Amino acid sequence: MGILTVDGEHFLMDGEKTTIISGTIHYFRVIPEYWEDRLKKLKACGFNTVETYTCWNLHERREGMFDFTGGLDIAKFLDIAKGLGLNVILRPGPYICAEWDMGGLPSWLLTYPQMRFRCNDRLFLEKVRNYYKEMFRYITPRLSTNGGNVIAIQIENEYGSYGDDKEYLNALTDIVKENQVDCLLFTSDGTADFMLSGGLIDNVLATANFGSNSAGNFAQLRKFRPEQPLMCTEYWNGWFDHWYEEHHTRTSIDTAEVLDEMLSSGASVNFYMFHGGTNFAFTNGANYNGVYQPTVTSYDYDCPVSECGDLTPKYFEVKAVLEKHFGKAPDIEVGNLPKKAYGKVALNQVAPLFDNLANLSKPVQSAAPLTMEELNQDFGFVLYTTTVCGPLEKLPLEIDGLHDRALIFINREFKGIKERTSRRNDEIMIELAEGEQIRLDILVENMGRVNYGPKLRDQKGILHGVRIGQRNHFGWIMCSLPLEDLTKLRYTSTDRGVSMPTFLTGHFPVEETSDTFVRLDGFTKGVVFVNGFNIGRFWNSAGPQRTLYIPAPLLQAGENEITVFELEHSDSNEILLTDVCDLG
C-alpha cells in the first residue's frame, strides 16, 4: 500500500503519478460473510480502491453505547480489502446521505430540541467528537501513513447541498486531525455554484459528484479549483428506488462511455455504487421534495455487481474500459454465487399483534401522544391506544404530524389508513351517543427518516396530536414495537390468510445453503424475518420491488424459520422461496 498525495493536477502514490479507480461498497449493507466476495469482484474488475461511508446511527444506536462488531466490524472490512491489495477511501460523515435512515445521523440526536445539525453548534460537534473518538480507534492504525490502506478521508458529505458554515467544516476538520489523522483529506459536492461554494474548505482537495456530462462538470470544478487533480467521487452509474415508483436502470453502454470520457481526460473516479447491497431491517432512508418518498429495501442501484452479488453486463462493459486504459485486470477467479428455489413454505402458525402486545412491549402512558424518539426508539412501529367517550356528533379523525403511515382500528376493527406519502388518506368518522365509548388503536410505522435536504429533523410516530374534529384528544397508552425480539410471541395454528396485523411463521428444510429470494404474492405490506434476522420490508401494493433477498449465510443446514409480519391482509398463508430476483 502507498501514501496518496497531490502535486498540482496529479495524484501521486508514493511519489508516482496514479489514477484512483474506486468503487463503493457499504460494509453495513452487505452481510460480513460476503465482504470478501464483493471486494474480490471489485479487484477482478480492475479497480484499485474501495470506498465506504460509516454509519453513525448503527455504530451508536444509543448515546454512548458503541458497536463495531459483526456486520459493523469496519476494521475487519478494511483488513480484508488490504489483504486483496485494495486501497480505501473512507467517508465518515458524520452525515452520509446514502439513502440511509436520517443520512446516518442517530435518531437520539432528535431528543436535543435545541441542537442544530451540520453547523457550528457546540452540542452537535460534541456528539460528533465522541463518535469520532471511538471510530478512529479502528481507523487511525489502518491509515496509509501508519502502514495501512486508508489513503483518503472525506470531510462531511456534499455539504454545499445543505449549508455554507465554514466554521463548522473547519471544526470538523480539526476533530478529524485530533484523532491523529494525517492522510489526504477531501470534500465532495455537486457541481452547481451554490454547492461548490458552500462545501469547499481552504487547503482541502475538492472533488465532484455527477452521473453524466463529465467535461461540463469537471469544467465547473476547475472554475473553483483550477490547479488540482480531477476526481468524480460519486459517479452515479445507476440509481435507487422509492416505493410507488418504477425500478431505475441505466444502460451498460452509457455507463461505460461516460467512464471512458473521464479516464481519457486524466480524471480519477469512484463508482457510486459498485455494489449496492440491501437496506436490511428498517435502515432505509427517504427523500422529501414536497412529498415524502421512502426508499425500498433493495439497494441494488443497477450496479456492476447486483444486490445478490451477480456480475451484470455493466460489470463486463466497465471492465473492458478499465483494461483499455490500464491493461489486463488481475487474474482473480470470481463468479455468481449459487441460487436455490426452496419452493413454497406454509406459514402455519399465527400470532396476532393485538394478542401479543404484552409479549412485545411495555406500555407507556402520557396525556399526549409521544414520538418514537421520546420513547427512546429508533426503528419499527408504535401502537397508540386510547378510549374515546361520547356524546360526539359525526366528526372526522385527524392525525397532526403523522410520520409516516397509520393503520387505524376502532374496537379492534380495521377502519382505514393514512399515509404521509399523500397517496392515501382514508376518511374515518367517529360518532358516539351519550354514554357510548370506543377503543381507538393507531399503529404507526416509521417508513424511514429523511436522508437529504433541509428536512433532516424527521421525528417519527405522531408528532403533534390526534383530533376528533377540532378537539384534541388526550390520554394515551403507547407500545414501542422495534420488533428486535420475536421469541416471546405466542402462536396458534392456521391454514389461511389474515386480515389484521399478524405474525405468520413457518419452517422449511435446507440441505445445502444457497442464496434465495422470497416472494410474497397475495400478501400486502410488512416485514420478513429469517431465523430471527430482519431482511427488510415488502410492500406489494406499492411496488416496484417484488422479492426480498435472503443471503445463504442467514440459512442453516436443517430446519429454518421464516416469519412474516403482515400489516394488512393476505390471501393465503403461503410464500415462495425462489431463485429469481424481481425488483420490478
Side-chain angles (χ1 to χ4, degrees):
M1 319 313 286
I3 296 175
L4 183 69
T5 56
V6 169
D7 181 22
E9 297 183 359
H10 302 287
F11 285 115
L12 305 180
M13 187 68 75
D14 287 343
E16 300 292 327
K17 290 182 183 179
T18 191
T19 302
I20 300 168
I21 307 299
S22 176
T24 300
I25 302 174
H26 296 150
Y27 61 95
F28 46 87
R29 279 184 160 124
V30 182
I31 61 169
E33 293 89 342
Y34 279 168
W35 287 345
E36 185 170 5
D37 174 79
R38 297 344 188 217
L39 288 167
K40 277 185 176 179
K41 288 167 179 171
L42 182 75
K43 181 79 173 182
C45 194
F47 288 70
N48 56 33
T49 304
V50 61
E51 178 268 309
T52 186
Y53 286 124
T54 70
C55 50
W56 184 7
N57 62 339
L58 294 191
H59 286 304
E60 193 181 4
R61 286 187 65 180
R62 301 289 179 268
E63 184 174 6
M65 300 174 64
F66 296 94
D67 186 1
F68 291 88
T69 64
L72 298 174
D73 189 349
I74 188 171
K76 181 178 180 180
F77 181 81
L78 299 180
D79 291 345
I80 293 173
K82 183 180 181 182
L84 293 170
L86 288 167
N87 292 315
V88 174
I89 294 172
L90 193 72
R91 303 169 78 188
Y95 162 82
I96 64 172
C97 184
E99 292 70 60
W100 192 249
D101 187 83
M102 205 167 152
L105 300 178
S107 61
W108 53 258
L109 292 175
L110 295 166
T111 64
Y112 293 91
Q114 300 307 313
M115 180 188 291
R116 297 294 179 264
F117 302 157
R118 302 181 72 191
C119 66
N120 193 33
D121 179 276
R122 180 195 60 78
L123 186 57
F124 179 68
L125 287 170
E126 174 188 312
K127 306 306 180 186
V128 174
R129 179 175 278 107
N130 294 340
Y131 164 53
Y132 274 17
K133 182 179 179 181
E134 288 295 320
M135 180 186 60
F136 277 106
R137 289 176 49 216
Y138 302 93
I139 305 305
T140 300
R142 292 169 172 83
L143 298 177
S144 57
T145 50
N146 292 323
N149 57 332
V150 178
I151 59 172
I153 288 178
Q154 180 176 279
I155 302 298
E156 241 280 349
N157 181 58
E158 294 186 314
Y159 183 68
S161 301
Y162 179 84
D164 58 3
D165 189 341
K166 301 298 184 176
E167 290 184 352
Y168 164 64
L169 293 176
N170 287 321
L172 203 57
T173 304
D174 290 342
I175 293 173
V176 170
K177 292 179 178 179
E178 285 172 13
N179 289 280
Q180 291 76 54
V181 171
D182 56 1
C183 66
L184 182 68
L185 303 180
F186 70 98
T187 60
S188 70
D189 286 285
T191 58
D193 283 351
F194 81 91
M195 295 175 179
L196 286 168
S197 63
L200 299 189
I201 308 172
D202 291 342
N203 302 314
V204 172
L205 175 71
T207 67
N209 300 340
F210 54 83
S212 59
N213 185 22
S214 62
N217 281 296
F218 280 140
Q220 269 288 96
L221 181 60
R222 280 268 190 252
K223 187 171 74 172
F224 284 83
R225 290 292 174 85
E227 296 181 359
Q228 61 145 61
L230 293 176
M231 181 165 181
C232 177
T233 298
E234 289 189 15
Y235 171 37
W236 304 317
N237 64 99
W239 205 246
F240 56 92
D241 295 337
H242 295 131
W243 299 111
Y244 288 121
E245 293 181 353
E246 298 296 318
H247 176 51
H248 291 83
T249 60
R250 180 177 182 177
T251 69
S252 303
I253 299 300
D254 185 41
T255 298
E257 287 177 349
V258 174
L259 173 63
D260 190 33
E261 290 172 7
M262 283 192 276
L263 297 179
S264 297
S265 71
S268 291
V269 63
N270 174 65
F271 270 59
Y272 191 97
M273 302 284 297
F274 176 81
H275 168 61
T278 307
N279 296 316
F280 291 119
F282 303 118
T283 54
N284 66 276
N287 286 98
Y288 190 92
N289 296 305
V291 176
Y292 175 72
Q293 301 169 297
T295 303
V296 305
T297 299
S298 171
Y299 201 64
D300 178 86
Y301 215 89
D302 194 36
C303 292
V305 173
S306 74
E307 178 184 16
C308 63
D310 284 353
L311 307 180
T312 69
K314 190 175 291 186
Y315 179 95
F316 295 102
E317 291 287 348
V318 168
K319 183 176 182 180
V321 171
L322 295 181
E323 290 188 334
K324 167 188 169 183
H325 286 270
F326 304 107
K328 192 175 185 306
D331 188 14
I332 301 173
E333 186 175 349
V334 294
N336 298 344
L337 296 173
K339 316 292 187 300
K340 189 169 180 63
Y342 292 102
K344 293 181 179 179
V345 180
L347 307 179
N348 50 23
Q349 295 177 294
V350 292
L353 173 65
F354 288 132
D355 296 345
N356 281 272
L357 290 174
N359 302 321
L360 292 169
S361 181
K362 293 182 179 179
V364 174
Q365 295 188 11
S366 173
L370 300 177
T371 66
M372 188 172 280
E373 293 75 22
E374 289 171 326
L375 292 166
N376 195 33
Q377 181 183 349
D378 48 4
F379 302 121
F381 303 78
V382 177
L383 180 67
Y384 296 85
T385 301
T386 191
T387 300
V388 181
C389 300
L392 285 173
E393 59 268 48
K394 193 174 184 179
L395 294 168
L397 177 72
E398 306 288 355
I399 304 175
D400 294 325
L402 171 60
H403 287 195
D404 300 304
R405 190 173 192 264
L407 281 72
I408 299 157
F409 305 85
I410 294 178
N411 294 332
R412 296 287 173 86
E413 181 181 343
F414 174 69
K415 292 298 182 182
I417 293 172
K418 293 181 181 291
E419 283 184 15
R420 185 184 177 193
T421 64
S422 76
R423 294 284 185 141
R424 187 164 177 181
N425 184 21
D426 296 350
E427 183 179 67
I428 298 162
M429 305 299 294
I430 296 177
E431 183 177 15
L432 298 175
E434 186 171 356
E436 187 181 3
Q437 64 181 37
I438 59 169
R439 171 180 172 139
L440 173 64
D441 290 290
I442 304 176
L443 180 61
V444 177
E445 179 180 5
N446 168 0
M447 287 292 297
R449 292 180 180 84
V450 172
N451 57 256
Y452 180 81
K455 301 289 187 179
L456 288 179
R457 293 198 72 93
D458 191 13
Q459 293 174 298
K460 295 303 180 182
I462 297 175
L463 275 58
H464 306 309
V466 175
R467 289 180 290 110
I468 301 170
Q470 71 178 33
R471 190 183 79 182
N472 287 286
H473 179 74
F474 296 99
W476 292 88
I477 298 173
M478 283 136 293
C479 289
S480 291
L481 299 167
L483 304 188
E484 293 176 352
D485 181 6
L486 305 182
T487 59
K488 295 180 181 179
L489 289 173
R490 295 296 175 259
Y491 288 94
T492 58
S493 298
T494 190
D495 60 358
R496 63 191 67 187
V498 299
S499 58
M500 291 284 281
T502 303
F503 298 89
L504 302 93
T505 292
H507 298 83
F508 61 99
V510 168
E511 292 184 7
E512 184 176 353
T513 61
S514 294
D515 286 359
T516 190
F517 306 89
V518 58
R519 285 195 73 97
L520 298 110
D521 296 340
F523 286 72
T524 306
K525 188 183 194 305
V527 189
V528 178
F529 304 81
V530 175
N531 293 325
F533 185 95
N534 186 339
I535 64 168
R537 312 174 205 259
F538 68 93
W539 195 356
N540 290 339
S541 58
Q545 183 173 359
R546 305 296 297 184
T547 58
L548 295 179
Y549 172 49
I550 304 176
L554 298 182
L555 303 177
Q556 59 197 16
E559 187 176 74
N560 291 261
E561 180 180 88
I562 187 163
T563 297
V564 176
F565 179 42
E566 169 59 57
L567 288 164
E568 298 179 39
H569 61 85
S570 64
D571 296 336
S572 75
N573 67 326
E574 223 173 45
I575 60 173
L576 179 67
L577 296 177
T578 175
D579 56 359
V580 179
C581 173
D582 183 355
L583 298 179

